[in-house]
Amino acid sequence: MVEENDFDVVVVGAGFAGLYALHKFRDDLHMNVRVFETGDGVGGTWFWNRYPGARCDSESYYYCYSFSPELAQEWEWSGRYPEQPEIERYLNHVTDRFDLRRDIQLSTRVTAATFDDATNRWTVRTDRGDAVTARFLVTAVGCLSAPSVPDIPGLDDFAGDVYFTATWPREPVDLTGKRVGLIGTGSSGIQATPPIAAQAAQLTVFQRTPNFSLPARHRAFLSEDQAEIKADYDEIFDLTRQSFAGFPFHPVDRKTMSVPEEEREEILDGLWEEGGFKFLYGGFIDLLRDAEANEIASEYIRTKIRETVKDPETAELLCPKGYPYGAKRPPIDTDYYETFNRDNVSLVDINDDPIEVITPTGLRTTTAEYEFDVLVFATGFDAMTGSLLRMDIRGTDGIPLSEAWSDGPRTYLGLQVAGFPNLFTITGPGSPSVLMNMPVAIEQHVDWIAGCLEYLRDEGWTRIEATEDAQDAWAEHVTELGEASLYVRANSWYVGANIPGKPRVIMPYTGGQPMYRERCDAVRDAGYDGFALGGAAAGG
Ligand code: NAP
C-alpha cells in the first residue's frame, strides 16, 4: 500500500506509455505522480507476452523512445526485430536510467476510479486496498492488454496443460515430445507456430480466418549497422513523426494502377525481399483505400503462400480470401508458411468445421476428435476498450464509462471522453494508435497531454473536459474516414468483431498521423478548442 495518498497525476500502467508519462510529468513538469501496474515488473505488453517466438514486428531502431537522444545513442539493439526479452530489458533499462521505479507500484491492479465534481479530483482504488486521490487520471493501459478467452465449453475439463500467449508463464515451458493444439492464427499464433513446431512432437494449428503474413527477414545487426543508425537517428525520428503510420519510410505518392504491371511486380518483389511493414506502407499509397489496388497486393501474397507451402490443399487453406490485405492487422513472421511443410505440423480449418467442445483429452470439432497434451490459446484481446472498461471508471454524476460507451467508444481526439473530466486516455480509441508504430503514437500523446497539463497549471484551471459537441464531431469524422477506408471490410479487432456482442465501430483513427497531429496541434494552439476548462486553482 502507498503511504502518500494524494497526487497530481495517477498513471495506470507501466508499459511504453506509462513509463514515458511518468518521466514527462514528474521530471519535466515537476508533478507528483504515482503509477500503478498490475504486473510484478514493468514493460506492459512486453512484460506479459512471453510466448515462444514473441518478437516485435516493427524494427527495433524505430520501435523505441525518441525523447532522449542520449538513450538512443547508448542502447544497442541486437538486430532488426528483437525478441520479447530484449524489449523487456530495454524498458527496464529506461526505468532505471530515468529513476522511474520509485514512483511505480507494481503488482497492483486499478479496480475503480471515480471523479468528484466538488473537488475536481479522481479517487483511484486498487486491488491492494489503496484509495488515492489525484487531480488527473492518465490511462496507459495499452490497446491490446485485456486477453480474450473464447467461450468454448469444456475448457476447465481439459486434463493437460493450457497456455495463453498473452499470459505465458515466466518459467520455461518444455513442449518436447508433446502433442500441442494451437488455437488462433493472428500475429501471436503466427509467431508462436514455428518455435512450437520445432519443439513439439506434433502441432495442430486451428485456423478460423487465414491471415496475410509477411516475412520479417530478421537479421542480427553488425557494428556498421549500429553506427549507421546512430548517425542517422535525428532523421529517422523526424521521419517517424511525419510519416503516415510512424515508420521512417520516405513517403510514397505512387498509386498501384499508375505503374505498368511489370514494374509493379518488381516493386512488390523488392518489398517482399525487404520484409516487414514496408510492403503495406512503403510501396503504394492506395492499398488501404482502393479495393482493386489492394487485390493486386493480396494476390501477390497468396501467390507467395502457394509457392511456399508444398501441400496444395494446405496452401489454399492458408490463403486469405474475402477481405482486403491490411484490413485485419497484418502479422509479420519468420518461417510461418514454411512450418506447414514439416511432417509434425497440420492445419485444421475451424471456419467450416468449428470447435464444439474441449474434452478432457483434447477437443472435438463438428466432424473430428483430436487428442493433445497441451492446448495453446492465441485468441487475441478485447482490443482498445477492454482494459479501460475492465476498470470501473465513473465520471460526473457517477456515470460509468461502460454506460457512456454502450454503443461503442466515443472520444475527442482519442484523448478524452465527454463526462469524464481530467481523464486522459493515451492511445485511446479515436486516435491512430494501433495503426501506427506505437512508441511514436505514445510519445505524441504524452507530449500533448503534458503540454495541456502545463497550460492548465499556468492558467490556473483545475478541470478540463471534452465537450459533447466536440466529441460528436470527432466521432463522426472518425467514422466517416473509417467507412471510406478498407478497414471496415474485415471482421477484425479494429472494429470489435472478435468479441461476441461488442458494438461494431471502427475504433482507431484511420486518417494517418500527419492529419491527426495537425488537428491535435491546432486544438492546442486555439487554447484547447473543444474542451471546457473550469475550476480554479484556489478552489481545489
Ligand atoms: P488476434 O489477431 O485477434 O488473433 C486471434 C486469433 O484467434 C484469430 O485467428 C482469431 O480468429 C482466433 N480466434 C479468436 N477467438 C476464437 C474462437 N472462439 N475460436 C477459434 N478461433 C478464435 O490476436 P493476436 O494474435 O494476439 O494479435 C493481436 C494483436 O496484437 C495483433 O494484431 C498485433 O497488433 C499485436 N501483436 C503484435 C505483435 C508484434 O510482434 N508486435 C505480436 C503479437 C501481437 P478470427 O481471425 O477468425 O477472429
Side-chain angles (χ1 to χ4, degrees):
M1 287 233 333
V2 290
E3 308 224 322
E4 200 179 345
N5 61 11
D6 185 46
F7 298 93
D8 296 319
V9 189
V10 160
V11 175
V12 189
F16 258 102
L19 295 176
Y20 180 47
L22 169 57
H23 169 62
K24 188 85 189 164
F25 304 153
R26 186 193 70 184
D27 300 332
D28 286 4
L29 300 187
H30 308 294
M31 288 182 152
N32 185 12
V33 184
R34 169 66 49 172
V35 178
F36 291 114
E37 163 58 53
T38 306
D40 64 10
V42 300
T45 283
W46 299 106
F47 173 84
W48 294 104
N49 288 272
R50 329 175 154 259
Y51 57 85
R55 63 166 85 232
C56 188
D57 56 13
S58 296
E59 292 175 74
S60 57
Y61 69 95
Y62 57 80
Y63 185 89
C64 57
Y65 292 116
S66 72
F67 71 85
S68 163
E70 298 78 18
L71 171 67
Q73 289 300 322
E74 76 199 15
W75 183 261
E76 301 263 294
W77 291 109
S78 67
R80 268 186 100 179
Y81 299 95
E83 289 188 289
Q84 174 272 335
E86 187 172 347
I87 308 175
E88 192 186 13
R89 268 200 309 280
Y90 169 74
L91 291 170
N92 273 281
H93 168 74
V94 170
T95 303
D96 293 327
R97 192 191 187 286
F98 295 96
D99 190 22
L100 302 178
R101 226 170 273 280
R102 64 188 156 96
D103 292 309
I104 302 172
Q105 184 174 319
L106 297 171
S107 306
T108 307
R109 179 183 287 280
V110 169
T111 50
T114 310
F115 186 72
D116 182 345
D117 254 322
T119 60
N120 290 330
R121 300 186 92 79
W122 284 92
T123 298
V124 179
R125 293 177 198 282
T126 77
D127 63 351
R128 298 212 9 218
D130 305 291
V132 304
T133 53
R135 170 74 67 215
F136 299 103
L137 176 62
V138 176
T139 59
V141 290
C143 299
L144 294 151
S145 41
S148 161
V149 180
D151 189 16
I152 304 175
L155 185 53
D156 292 340
D157 303 333
F158 182 62
D161 296 326
V162 176
Y163 298 103
F164 297 87
T165 50
T167 51
W168 197 267
R170 244 187 206 169
E171 53 283 0
V173 173
D174 187 6
L175 298 172
T176 313
K178 301 275 168 73
R179 297 163 304 166
V180 180
L182 168 66
I183 300 165
T185 54
S187 299
S188 305
I190 282 177
Q191 284 188 335
T193 293
I196 292 180
Q199 207 183 53
Q202 181 200 316
L203 170 66
T204 308
V205 176
F206 292 89
Q207 170 188 274
R208 193 164 67 180
T209 312
N211 243 309
F212 291 97
S213 191
L214 268 287
R217 312 246 182 253
H218 173 69
R219 65 173 177 83
F221 282 151
L222 305 170
S223 55
E224 301 91 275
D225 300 317
Q226 303 273 10
E228 197 182 323
I229 288 165
K230 288 181 180 186
D232 290 348
Y233 247 142
D234 287 349
E235 192 196 341
I236 290 168
F237 286 144
D238 276 352
L239 274 171
T240 63
R241 292 187 205 104
Q242 289 158 17
S243 66
F244 189 83
F247 297 102
F249 308 149
H250 288 279
V252 284
D253 54 8
R254 187 170 48 197
K255 289 195 171 166
T256 309
M257 298 309 172
S258 69
V259 178
E261 196 178 334
E262 207 173 303
E263 196 184 322
R264 203 158 62 205
E265 282 291 302
E266 271 172 31
I267 294 168
L268 290 172
D269 284 346
L271 293 166
W272 182 265
E273 280 316 310
E274 206 175 328
F277 278 118
K278 208 161 189 186
F279 193 90
L280 184 60
Y281 294 114
F284 300 99
I285 195 175
D286 50 0
L287 294 191
L288 291 165
R289 307 226 145 245
D290 179 336
E292 200 184 346
N294 188 289
E295 181 51 27
I296 286 172
S298 298
E299 191 52 28
Y300 182 92
I301 301 171
R302 287 186 208 110
T303 304
K304 291 290 184 193
I305 297 172
R306 291 178 186 122
E307 282 170 12
T308 308
V309 179
K310 293 193 181 120
D311 172 44
E313 215 174 296
T314 305
E316 222 37 53
L317 273 183
L318 286 164
C319 281
K321 289 163 202 134
Y323 73 91
Y325 162 59
K328 273 166 106 76
R329 161 69 154 70
I332 306 292
D333 74 87
T334 301
D335 293 339
Y336 176 62
Y337 295 115
E338 288 81 351
T339 299
F340 289 93
N341 294 331
R342 294 177 64 113
D343 292 338
N344 69 333
V345 177
S346 52
L347 180 70
V348 175
D349 170 19
I350 49 169
N351 191 35
D352 282 348
D353 186 17
I355 298 172
E356 291 199 328
V357 65
I358 309 280
T359 65
T361 53
L363 61 81
R364 200 166 56 236
T365 64
T366 312
T367 66
E369 180 128 18
Y370 300 85
E371 295 206 336
F372 297 115
D373 306 305
V374 175
L375 283 178
V376 174
F377 287 84
T379 44
F381 301 87
D382 184 354
M384 304 203 72
T385 55
S387 25
L388 292 167
L389 294 175
R390 286 179 192 188
M391 295 180 281
D392 183 11
I393 300 180
R394 289 171 187 255
T396 47
D397 303 323
I399 304 283
L401 188 60
S402 54
E403 194 178 310
W405 283 2
S406 56
D407 293 330
R410 293 174 77 76
T411 66
Y412 182 37
L413 302 172
L415 280 159
Q416 263 220 343
V417 184
F420 295 78
N422 295 3
L423 167 69
F424 293 94
T425 50
I426 301 176
T427 61
S431 73
S433 61
V434 291
L435 299 182
M436 276 182 64
N437 175 26
M438 282 304 274
V440 180
I442 285 166
E443 286 191 337
Q444 187 253 340
H445 263 194
V446 171
D447 291 346
W448 191 96
I449 295 166
C452 177
L453 298 187
E454 195 172 20
Y455 176 85
L456 297 174
R457 185 171 62 189
D458 290 351
E459 299 294 318
W461 302 113
T462 57
R463 177 178 169 128
I464 178 164
E465 180 181 2
T467 66
E468 290 282 355
D469 284 352
Q471 177 167 285
D472 287 350
W474 184 253
E476 203 177 307
H477 175 58
V478 172
T479 306
E480 249 175 42
L481 284 173
E483 295 290 334
S485 76
L486 298 181
Y487 286 109
V488 292
R489 300 205 192 172
N491 291 325
S492 71
W493 56 256
Y494 291 147
V495 297
N498 64 326
I499 303 294
K502 190 165 174 172
R504 192 179 175 107
V505 170
I506 177 79
M507 293 187 286
Y509 175 82
T510 55
Q513 175 180 221
M515 220 155 84
Y516 178 74
R517 242 180 215 273
E518 200 179 301
R519 183 63 185 269
C520 290
D521 292 350
V523 165
R524 177 201 59 208
D525 294 345
Y528 296 93
D529 187 27
F531 291 94
L533 310 184

